[in-house]
Amino acid sequence: RYADQKKIPCKFTKFISLLYGQNLDEVEDNPVELKTAQTALVEIAPIKPICLESIKTYPELARFTFKDMRTIVGVGYIID
């Protein structure tokens, strides 16, 4: 279920940690790069203002996808 769709350019500002497994155990701090099918905690910055909510307060507005050339390259949700 989605509340709305927006196309807002964003950039990754920081890779915080690399996560592994279903429990999302932290494997590496400050990874240099991510490879296919890896999970990570990252910080992103939208180029334009956008209103999103955290997963704890409003789960429907906390989820997002990253697309590049109409191909989904990442999915996630807002923690803070």
Side-chain angles (χ1 to χ4, degrees):
R1 187 169 105 176
Y2 297 98
D4 197 3
Q5 291 184 3
K6 298 287 180 194
K7 293 180 182 179
I8 305 292
C10 297
K11 72 179 197 177
F12 292 94
T13 56
K14 185 178 180 184
F15 293 133
I16 299 171
S17 62
L18 188 61
L19 307 173
Y20 180 75
Q22 201 164 17
N23 294 334
L24 299 178
D25 299 323
E26 193 170 309
V27 176
E28 180 183 344
D29 285 335
N30 301 320
V32 177
E33 64 181 12
L34 296 176
K35 296 179 181 149
T36 302
Q38 286 187 323
T39 304
L41 182 61
V42 299
E43 186 176 294
I44 58 170
I47 304 300
K48 295 180 183 178
I50 186 170
C51 180
L52 296 171
E53 297 289 334
S54 77
I55 196 84
K56 295 174 189 171
T57 58
Y58 206 123
E60 289 84 3
L61 294 178
R63 302 181 196 292
F64 59 88
T65 61
F66 282 108
K67 290 186 176 184
D68 185 30
M69 302 296 288
R70 296 186 181 178
T71 302
I72 295 176
V73 295
V75 295
Y77 57 88
I78 307 296
I79 296 174
D80 281 334

